Amino acid sequence: MKVTPPNSNILNNVLQQQQKLSQQQATAKRINSAADDAAGLQISNRLTSAINAQQQGQRNLADGIAFARVYEQALQGVNDNLLELDRLAIAAGNGIYSAQDRQTLQTEAQGYLANIQQGLQTEFAGNRLFSDSARSFNAGDGELNLQTRDAQALLSAQNIFNLDLTNPQGLTTAQSSIRAASEQISAFQAETGASINRLQSALNAVSGREVATSDARSRIADLDYARASSDRAAANILTQSSINVALQARVSAEQALSFLS
């Protein structure tokens, strides 16, 4: 007597489903190959490319902001020393000061001038801060520029480094030069502040786009663990049921043969 076993295709399909679910749970991805969802994989890859660009863009913008802040602080350092020079120029105009007193003020002024010269050599990651150049920062979907200025040339044009506080007749001219230089440095600071705000705004926007894009990719490619766990439990029950049916059919067949014999 021949007993036909249950359809083995059902068991094979269930086992394949279990294997697929196991892979998905291991990778936390609903799509692990084009066979899982060809169109979904293509869209997911495009979104991944966009996310990578947005993430790198954020790093670029953050570097630009850091550079700009160091540059702005260096400008403030120059301006602080210019304000001290202005104070000394006013002090040198005190009618009771002797030539020796003015020489003492000149010595103090030389110290501030040395501070300015040192500040003008400031670098960021090997890049000199004070140069006439527009530095570009790729945001992933566009570029933003940061303009830096040659403060050395500005101060030299104002004859700041040849400041002479020992000559009473030249103090008015010296003070005018100091104040003109300070105003221009302040203008550079304002320009830099606006650039920092622009870079920060762009960084915030790119960060928001990355979150939205990541959410979109997640809905397409990421695994729904609750659903996958439920499907796997159902598959396990179906597998066990199929095995039990097969075993029961085999036992029934053997019992029938024993009766016939």
Side-chain angles (χ1 to χ4, degrees), residues 64-82:
I65 292 171
F67 181 94
R69 285 176 175 165
V70 173
Y71 172 61
E72 193 276 329
Q73 287 300 310
L75 285 170
Q76 183 60 52
V78 171
N79 224 343
D80 288 343
N81 284 279
L82 286 173

PDB file of all heavy atoms in Angstrom, residues 64-82:
ATOM      1  N   GLY A  64      33.864  74.947   7.814  1.00  0.00           N
ATOM      2  CA  GLY A  64      33.823  76.348   7.406  1.00  0.00           C
ATOM      3  C   GLY A  64      33.473  77.271   8.555  1.00  0.00           C
ATOM      4  O   GLY A  64      34.063  78.348   8.717  1.00  0.00           O
ATOM      5  N   ILE A  65      32.523  76.848   9.384  1.00  0.00           N
ATOM      6  CA  ILE A  65      32.131  77.654  10.545  1.00  0.00           C
ATOM      7  C   ILE A  65      33.293  77.759  11.531  1.00  0.00           C
ATOM      8  O   ILE A  65      33.571  78.839  12.071  1.00  0.00           O
ATOM      9  CB  ILE A  65      30.897  77.037  11.218  1.00  0.00           C
ATOM     10  CG1 ILE A  65      29.677  77.180  10.297  1.00  0.00           C
ATOM     11  CG2 ILE A  65      30.621  77.701  12.562  1.00  0.00           C
ATOM     12  CD1 ILE A  65      28.463  76.406  10.766  1.00  0.00           C
ATOM     13  N   ALA A  66      33.969  76.639  11.779  1.00  0.00           N
ATOM     14  CA  ALA A  66      35.116  76.656  12.697  1.00  0.00           C
ATOM     15  C   ALA A  66      36.207  77.599  12.178  1.00  0.00           C
ATOM     16  O   ALA A  66      36.778  78.387  12.945  1.00  0.00           O
ATOM     17  CB  ALA A  66      35.658  75.243  12.876  1.00  0.00           C
ATOM     18  N   PHE A  67      36.494  77.496  10.879  1.00  0.00           N
ATOM     19  CA  PHE A  67      37.507  78.370  10.272  1.00  0.00           C
ATOM     20  C   PHE A  67      37.107  79.830  10.429  1.00  0.00           C
ATOM     21  O   PHE A  67      37.918  80.679  10.824  1.00  0.00           O
ATOM     22  CB  PHE A  67      37.667  78.019   8.794  1.00  0.00           C
ATOM     23  CG  PHE A  67      38.708  78.829   8.066  1.00  0.00           C
ATOM     24  CD1 PHE A  67      40.001  78.359   7.939  1.00  0.00           C
ATOM     25  CD2 PHE A  67      38.394  80.067   7.523  1.00  0.00           C
ATOM     26  CE1 PHE A  67      40.971  79.110   7.268  1.00  0.00           C
ATOM     27  CE2 PHE A  67      39.349  80.824   6.861  1.00  0.00           C
ATOM     28  CZ  PHE A  67      40.640  80.340   6.736  1.00  0.00           C
ATOM     29  N   ALA A  68      35.838  80.123  10.129  1.00  0.00           N
ATOM     30  CA  ALA A  68      35.364  81.509  10.190  1.00  0.00           C
ATOM     31  C   ALA A  68      35.435  82.063  11.613  1.00  0.00           C
ATOM     32  O   ALA A  68      35.765  83.239  11.819  1.00  0.00           O
ATOM     33  CB  ALA A  68      33.934  81.592   9.656  1.00  0.00           C
ATOM     34  N   ARG A  69      35.120  81.222  12.591  1.00  0.00           N
ATOM     35  CA  ARG A  69      35.159  81.694  13.984  1.00  0.00           C
ATOM     36  C   ARG A  69      36.579  81.990  14.436  1.00  0.00           C
ATOM     37  O   ARG A  69      36.829  82.982  15.150  1.00  0.00           O
ATOM     38  CB  ARG A  69      34.503  80.655  14.887  1.00  0.00           C
ATOM     39  CG  ARG A  69      32.983  80.661  14.774  1.00  0.00           C
ATOM     40  CD  ARG A  69      32.345  79.564  15.585  1.00  0.00           C
ATOM     41  NE  ARG A  69      30.888  79.673  15.553  1.00  0.00           N
ATOM     42  CZ  ARG A  69      30.049  78.720  15.917  1.00  0.00           C
ATOM     43  NH1 ARG A  69      30.525  77.563  16.371  1.00  0.00           N
ATOM     44  NH2 ARG A  69      28.736  78.901  15.848  1.00  0.00           N
ATOM     45  N   VAL A  70      37.523  81.147  14.029  1.00  0.00           N
ATOM     46  CA  VAL A  70      38.925  81.417  14.374  1.00  0.00           C
ATOM     47  C   VAL A  70      39.391  82.700  13.700  1.00  0.00           C
ATOM     48  O   VAL A  70      40.074  83.542  14.309  1.00  0.00           O
ATOM     49  CB  VAL A  70      39.810  80.226  13.957  1.00  0.00           C
ATOM     50  CG1 VAL A  70      41.284  80.565  14.141  1.00  0.00           C
ATOM     51  CG2 VAL A  70      39.464  78.984  14.771  1.00  0.00           C
ATOM     52  N   TYR A  71      38.994  82.870  12.436  1.00  0.00           N
ATOM     53  CA  TYR A  71      39.349  84.082  11.691  1.00  0.00           C
ATOM     54  C   TYR A  71      38.767  85.327  12.357  1.00  0.00           C
ATOM     55  O   TYR A  71      39.459  86.337  12.545  1.00  0.00           O
ATOM     56  CB  TYR A  71      38.839  83.946  10.258  1.00  0.00           C
ATOM     57  CG  TYR A  71      38.957  85.182   9.398  1.00  0.00           C
ATOM     58  CD1 TYR A  71      40.197  85.745   9.121  1.00  0.00           C
ATOM     59  CD2 TYR A  71      37.822  85.786   8.847  1.00  0.00           C
ATOM     60  CE1 TYR A  71      40.314  86.878   8.323  1.00  0.00           C
ATOM     61  CE2 TYR A  71      37.923  86.898   8.050  1.00  0.00           C
ATOM     62  CZ  TYR A  71      39.162  87.452   7.787  1.00  0.00           C
ATOM     63  OH  TYR A  71      39.262  88.575   6.998  1.00  0.00           O
ATOM     64  N   GLU A  72      37.495  85.238  12.770  1.00  0.00           N
ATOM     65  CA  GLU A  72      36.850  86.383  13.408  1.00  0.00           C
ATOM     66  C   GLU A  72      37.516  86.723  14.736  1.00  0.00           C
ATOM     67  O   GLU A  72      37.702  87.901  15.066  1.00  0.00           O
ATOM     68  CB  GLU A  72      35.359  86.081  13.611  1.00  0.00           C
ATOM     69  CG  GLU A  72      34.511  87.308  13.980  1.00  0.00           C
ATOM     70  CD  GLU A  72      34.548  87.615  15.469  1.00  0.00           C
ATOM     71  OE1 GLU A  72      34.680  86.663  16.273  1.00  0.00           O
ATOM     72  OE2 GLU A  72      34.466  88.798  15.835  1.00  0.00           O
ATOM     73  N   GLN A  73      37.905  85.697  15.502  1.00  0.00           N
ATOM     74  CA  GLN A  73      38.583  85.942  16.766  1.00  0.00           C
ATOM     75  C   GLN A  73      39.970  86.550  16.542  1.00  0.00           C
ATOM     76  O   GLN A  73      40.420  87.394  17.334  1.00  0.00           O
ATOM     77  CB  GLN A  73      38.694  84.643  17.566  1.00  0.00           C
ATOM     78  CG  GLN A  73      37.382  84.176  18.163  1.00  0.00           C
ATOM     79  CD  GLN A  73      36.793  85.199  19.115  1.00  0.00           C
ATOM     80  OE1 GLN A  73      37.477  85.698  20.012  1.00  0.00           O
ATOM     81  NE2 GLN A  73      35.519  85.534  18.920  1.00  0.00           N
ATOM     82  N   ALA A  74      40.621  86.128  15.466  1.00  0.00           N
ATOM     83  CA  ALA A  74      41.926  86.712  15.150  1.00  0.00           C
ATOM     84  C   ALA A  74      41.766  88.186  14.774  1.00  0.00           C
ATOM     85  O   ALA A  74      42.592  89.031  15.148  1.00  0.00           O
ATOM     86  CB  ALA A  74      42.585  85.936  14.014  1.00  0.00           C
ATOM     87  N   LEU A  75      40.700  88.501  14.051  1.00  0.00           N
ATOM     88  CA  LEU A  75      40.418  89.902  13.726  1.00  0.00           C
ATOM     89  C   LEU A  75      40.165  90.711  14.992  1.00  0.00           C
ATOM     90  O   LEU A  75      40.633  91.850  15.123  1.00  0.00           O
ATOM     91  CB  LEU A  75      39.187  89.983  12.807  1.00  0.00           C
ATOM     92  CG  LEU A  75      39.383  89.571  11.348  1.00  0.00           C
ATOM     93  CD1 LEU A  75      38.032  89.480  10.651  1.00  0.00           C
ATOM     94  CD2 LEU A  75      40.293  90.564  10.615  1.00  0.00           C
ATOM     95  N   GLN A  76      39.429  90.106  15.936  1.00  0.00           N
ATOM     96  CA  GLN A  76      39.166  90.793  17.196  1.00  0.00           C
ATOM     97  C   GLN A  76      40.461  91.039  17.963  1.00  0.00           C
ATOM     98  O   GLN A  76      40.633  92.107  18.584  1.00  0.00           O
ATOM     99  CB  GLN A  76      38.200  89.965  18.054  1.00  0.00           C
ATOM    100  CG  GLN A  76      37.799  90.642  19.361  1.00  0.00           C
ATOM    101  CD  GLN A  76      37.094  91.975  19.132  1.00  0.00           C
ATOM    102  OE1 GLN A  76      36.133  92.047  18.371  1.00  0.00           O
ATOM    103  NE2 GLN A  76      37.592  93.035  19.773  1.00  0.00           N
ATOM    104  N   GLY A  77      41.373  90.076  17.901  1.00  0.00           N
ATOM    105  CA  GLY A  77      42.669  90.260  18.548  1.00  0.00           C
ATOM    106  C   GLY A  77      43.427  91.431  17.961  1.00  0.00           C
ATOM    107  O   GLY A  77      44.031  92.235  18.692  1.00  0.00           O
ATOM    108  N   VAL A  78      43.397  91.561  16.630  1.00  0.00           N
ATOM    109  CA  VAL A  78      44.055  92.701  15.974  1.00  0.00           C
ATOM    110  C   VAL A  78      43.398  93.999  16.423  1.00  0.00           C
ATOM    111  O   VAL A  78      44.070  94.990  16.753  1.00  0.00           O
ATOM    112  CB  VAL A  78      43.982  92.553  14.441  1.00  0.00           C
ATOM    113  CG1 VAL A  78      44.464  93.833  13.753  1.00  0.00           C
ATOM    114  CG2 VAL A  78      44.818  91.367  13.976  1.00  0.00           C
ATOM    115  N   ASN A  79      42.063  93.988  16.452  1.00  0.00           N
ATOM    116  CA  ASN A  79      41.337  95.206  16.821  1.00  0.00           C
ATOM    117  C   ASN A  79      41.597  95.602  18.269  1.00  0.00           C
ATOM    118  O   ASN A  79      41.714  96.797  18.597  1.00  0.00           O
ATOM    119  CB  ASN A  79      39.841  95.008  16.593  1.00  0.00           C
ATOM    120  CG  ASN A  79      39.197  96.213  15.923  1.00  0.00           C
ATOM    121  OD1 ASN A  79      39.769  97.298  15.899  1.00  0.00           O
ATOM    122  ND2 ASN A  79      38.013  96.021  15.370  1.00  0.00           N
ATOM    123  N   ASP A  80      41.684  94.617  19.155  1.00  0.00           N
ATOM    124  CA  ASP A  80      41.977  94.915  20.568  1.00  0.00           C
ATOM    125  C   ASP A  80      43.301  95.659  20.694  1.00  0.00           C
ATOM    126  O   ASP A  80      43.420  96.624  21.475  1.00  0.00           O
ATOM    127  CB  ASP A  80      42.027  93.621  21.377  1.00  0.00           C
ATOM    128  CG  ASP A  80      40.653  92.998  21.571  1.00  0.00           C
ATOM    129  OD1 ASP A  80      39.632  93.699  21.375  1.00  0.00           O
ATOM    130  OD2 ASP A  80      40.595  91.794  21.897  1.00  0.00           O
ATOM    131  N   ASN A  81      44.283  95.222  19.933  1.00  0.00           N
ATOM    132  CA  ASN A  81      45.596  95.877  19.989  1.00  0.00           C
ATOM    133  C   ASN A  81      45.567  97.260  19.348  1.00  0.00           C
ATOM    134  O   ASN A  81      46.249  98.187  19.812  1.00  0.00           O
ATOM    135  CB  ASN A  81      46.648  95.002  19.315  1.00  0.00           C
ATOM    136  CG  ASN A  81      47.062  93.819  20.172  1.00  0.00           C
ATOM    137  OD1 ASN A  81      47.869  93.927  21.074  1.00  0.00           O
ATOM    138  ND2 ASN A  81      46.481  92.662  19.890  1.00  0.00           N
ATOM    139  N   LEU A  82      44.757  97.417  18.293  1.00  0.00           N
ATOM    140  CA  LEU A  82      44.612  98.742  17.678  1.00  0.00           C
ATOM    141  C   LEU A  82      43.972  99.731  18.661  1.00  0.00           C
ATOM    142  O   LEU A  82      44.359 100.901  18.720  1.00  0.00           O
ATOM    143  CB  LEU A  82      43.763  98.645  16.410  1.00  0.00           C
ATOM    144  CG  LEU A  82      44.438  98.013  15.189  1.00  0.00           C
ATOM    145  CD1 LEU A  82      43.423  97.815  14.066  1.00  0.00           C
ATOM    146  CD2 LEU A  82      45.610  98.869  14.696  1.00  0.00           C
TER     147      LEU A  82
END
